[in-house]
Amino acid sequence: HWSRFLLMLTGLCAMTLMTGYRARLFTLLCWVLLISIQVRNPLVLDGGDDYLRLLLFWSLFLPAEQQKQMSVPGSCLLLQVVSIYFFCALLKLNIPEWRQGGEALWLSLRSQYSGNLGLQGWLSTYPHLLGKLVRPIVFFELTLPLLLLAPCVRRRLVAVALWFSFHGFVLLAVNLPFFSLVAMTALIPFLPSVFWDKLFRLPSEVAFACSPARSVVYAGLSVLFFAYISWWNVAGLKKDAPWFHSWAVIAEVAQIHQRWRMFTSVSPEYRWDVVEGQLADGGRVNLLFRRAGLDINEPRSYAERYPNRRWWYFLHEITSFSSDVFRLEYENYLCREWNSREATKLVSLHWQQL
């Protein structure tokens, strides 16, 4: 009941924020409530969750009133969005398969949730074509985000349109709805003032209600946090940076930690989980999602084996840790749930990764 109340409260604050009433206060409430939801189970989160949390974080420092001129916090928000794609490309360059071309994109698509289904499955049937696209994609991620900062209105509009189309393609081809929609929303601040003038007919001058002292504080905090985040992303390119971990407490407290690894997974392995339960009457069942029968055959995609992407993230994470503590706790949960609901009791459990 408490979780449902928090979800309802978060939705109410989000709708109030959309109206513009007490924008900074309700941005703060939405940010805190979103963090309270995400930290309950970080094992099911993906890049879209981090993206949304960071957008709310930077919105805390934005001017609460309309302005014609770009503010320092606004500039930091735009640079945060650009840095996502820039550092994602740099992480790809650290991976030999992406740096040298070849099967990197094909392996990355194959390891995604939708696997061989739909448009993603159709693209996977052309590994040679995908191999030709590896280097252009990295170049695209390195250079096109910079056009989002172009002072020329037409170039910026073209860049926004290209990035919007790119995320629309990712939405359709790779089945990443949440991340794609958040990324599309993040493009809105890049639209120039000319666009908003024609759309809403804003007055030529808008009063600045925030006090100068408060504006300086917000600007100073924005610069400090952006410098820290930039340092965090640069350090994240290295596998071992002990000086980086000593300052990680700031990112954990403010929940601004980030590492943009979209499509960097190039493992040739295609693994799926089977949790076999042995019953007291000698029968065998698949305890994972309580499906009838024990199917151990290779699925066409993860989407055929897992109810949704969140479940895929969760099971992938608990089986990837060097410690088995999370997996053992989930196994105990599966046993308790089965024995509390079924007449034929469970006597043993065997987790397999095939």
Side-chain angles (χ1 to χ4, degrees), residues 164-351:
F164 194 89
S165 301
F166 169 75
H167 284 295
F169 176 77
V170 172
L171 174 64
L172 296 175
V174 195
N175 190 20
L176 282 173
F178 187 67
F179 178 85
S180 300
L181 293 175
V182 173
M184 290 177 179
T185 305
L187 294 172
I188 293 177
F190 288 93
L191 294 172
S193 58
V194 175
F195 174 85
W196 300 111
D197 290 343
K198 293 184 178 180
L199 187 63
F200 294 108
R201 301 183 183 277
L202 297 176
S204 58
E205 294 184 2
V206 180
F208 189 77
C210 188
S211 65
R214 188 177 299 177
S215 301
V216 171
V217 172
Y218 289 146
L221 288 174
S222 300
V223 171
L224 289 176
F225 275 117
F226 182 75
Y228 176 81
I229 284 176
S230 301
W231 171 65
W232 175 282
N233 282 316
V234 171
L237 299 174
K238 302 180 180 179
K239 293 183 178 180
D240 187 18
W243 51 270
F244 158 72
H245 295 289
S246 61
W247 290 86
V249 62
I250 298 176
E252 294 298 329
V253 171
Q255 287 293 297
I256 53 177
H257 49 79
Q258 52 191 278
R259 195 159 189 251
W260 307 107
R261 299 175 293 178
M262 291 82 75
F263 303 106
T264 56
S265 174
V266 292
S267 173
E269 296 183 355
Y270 185 76
R271 301 181 300 173
W272 65 97
D273 298 280
V274 174
V275 182
E276 177 185 350
Q278 186 73 34
L279 301 179
D281 61 1
R284 296 191 305 166
V285 294
N286 183 5
L287 291 177
L288 206 57
F289 315 123
R290 302 174 68 86
R291 290 179 175 173
L294 189 62
D295 182 15
I296 62 173
N297 297 320
E298 178 180 354
R300 288 190 302 162
S301 73
Y302 292 114
E304 290 186 345
R305 184 69 63 173
Y306 306 99
N308 54 57
R309 187 179 292 272
R310 300 289 183 179
W311 272 108
W312 178 49
Y313 290 147
F314 173 73
L315 293 172
H316 175 75
E317 290 294 328
I318 66 174
T319 54
S320 299
F321 283 109
S322 57
S323 172
D324 293 332
V325 58
F326 292 106
R327 182 176 60 82
L328 292 175
E329 287 294 333
Y330 184 60
E331 289 178 356
N332 292 334
Y333 166 78
L334 291 175
C335 292
R336 289 195 307 269
E337 285 293 301
W338 179 275
N339 289 332
S340 64
R341 297 183 180 183
E342 303 294 336
T344 306
K345 301 303 180 183
L346 188 71
V347 295
S348 66
L349 178 150
H350 180 53
W351 192 305

Side-chain angles (χ1 to χ4, degrees), residues 104-112 115 120 123-124 130 174 263:
L105 185 57
W106 180 78
L107 291 172
S108 179
L109 285 176
R110 188 175 184 271
S111 65
Q112 295 300 310
Q120 181 177 337
L123 289 172
S124 299
L130 294 175
V174 195
F263 303 106

Side-chain angles (χ1 to χ4, degrees), residues 10-134:
T10 304
L12 180 62
C13 290
M15 288 188 291
T16 307
L17 177 60
M18 291 175 61
T19 66
Y21 174 74
R22 301 293 297 275
R24 197 183 305 280
L25 171 62
F26 281 95
T27 300
L28 176 62
L29 291 176
C30 287
W31 178 64
V32 172
L33 289 169
L34 180 66
I35 290 175
S36 72
I37 293 173
Q38 292 184 353
V39 298
R40 286 175 174 268
N41 192 355
L43 300 179
V44 303
L45 304 182
D46 67 357
D49 298 287
D50 295 335
Y51 208 155
L52 178 59
R53 187 181 64 248
L54 287 166
L55 289 177
L56 283 174
F57 172 79
W58 287 112
S59 298
L60 293 172
F61 306 104
L62 295 177
E65 57 284 320
Q66 298 173 352
Q67 287 193 93
K68 286 283 186 175
Q69 298 178 348
M70 176 63 67
S71 63
V72 173
S75 301
C76 292
L77 170 63
L78 301 186
L79 290 172
Q80 166 70 86
V81 175
V82 169
S83 68
I84 290 175
Y85 305 100
F86 184 76
F87 283 103
C88 181
L90 292 182
L91 279 173
K92 287 185 175 71
L93 291 176
N94 280 342
I95 302 173
E97 289 83 358
W98 276 99
R99 189 169 58 249
Q100 300 168 6
E103 297 182 336
L105 185 57
W106 180 78
L107 291 172
S108 179
L109 285 176
R110 188 175 184 271
S111 65
Q112 295 300 310
Y113 176 71
S114 296
N116 296 323
L117 297 179
L119 182 56
Q120 181 177 337
W122 179 79
L123 289 172
S124 299
T125 60
Y126 296 94
H128 181 71
L129 174 62
L130 294 175
K132 298 293 185 181
L133 295 175
V134 169

Side-chain angles (χ1 to χ4, degrees), residues 132-151:
K132 298 293 185 181
L133 295 175
V134 169
R135 290 178 179 174
I137 285 177
V138 175
F139 179 78
F140 177 84
E141 290 183 325
L142 281 172
T143 58
L144 190 58
L146 298 179
L147 289 178
L148 293 171
L149 304 175

